[in-house]
Amino acid sequence: MKLNKIRVSSEATHKLGMLKSRTGLTPNILCRMGFCLSLNEPGIPNKEQYIEDGMEFNRYTLTGQFDTLFVSLLKERCLQDKIYADGDLPEYFLAHVNRGIELLYVRLKSLRDLTNIL
């Protein structure tokens, strides 16, 4: 997947700040959790819904040593959704991160809520 930098929406950036204050978790960890939550949700996230006008991450900072795992999970999800195309993977990755942040924002009010999410 050709993607070196990832920029989430300004709304997602705001929600990441709130989630960080609630939990103490860093934005990259929150994005990883959100990405996985979104992959588990039914439906395809609308990739046109999210404007890249917020916080920027280096891909490695966001995915860390699990980069191959995250890309593999995304490819599998895209296959299930019948939308697989190499060129669209970065857009769907970003859409899942943004949608996942929205899901986390609703479900994660404190660290204690992690047990319900995991």
Side-chain angles (χ1 to χ4, degrees):
M1 181 170 72
K2 294 180 181 178
L3 179 66
N4 293 323
K5 296 203 182 256
I6 297 162
R7 186 179 294 273
V8 297
S9 70
S10 58
E11 185 177 332
T13 299
H14 172 73
K15 289 178 179 175
L16 283 171
M18 296 296 290
L19 285 165
K20 183 179 179 185
S21 68
R22 289 179 192 166
T23 64
L25 297 173
T26 59
N28 62 319
I29 299 299
L30 292 163
C31 286
R32 291 177 192 177
M33 293 170 55
F35 176 78
C36 291
L37 270 179
S38 179
L39 289 179
N40 198 39
E41 284 292 305
I44 301 169
N46 181 359
K47 60 184 183 179
E48 277 94 37
Q49 179 180 344
Y50 305 105
I51 300 168
E52 297 178 50
D53 59 351
M55 185 182 286
E56 183 176 84
F57 299 89
N58 287 322
R59 177 176 167 181
Y60 189 75
T61 300
L62 189 65
T63 60
Q65 63 187 358
F66 304 107
D67 186 73
T68 302
L69 173 65
F70 286 115
V71 173
S72 297
L73 289 171
L74 178 63
K75 286 181 176 180
E76 180 62 28
R77 174 59 194 259
C78 286
L79 283 172
Q80 290 174 6
D81 291 339
K82 301 182 185 337
I83 55 170
Y84 184 72
D86 271 339
D88 290 341
L89 280 179
E91 293 175 358
Y92 282 106
F93 185 84
L94 186 58
H96 278 289
V97 169
N98 276 285
R99 181 170 78 171
I101 293 167
E102 291 174 358
L103 294 167
L104 264 183
Y105 186 75
V106 172
R107 298 178 186 176
L108 189 61
K109 303 299 181 196
S110 73
L111 276 178
R112 282 185 243 153
D113 295 332
L114 275 178
T115 56
N116 298 329
I117 293 173
L118 302 176

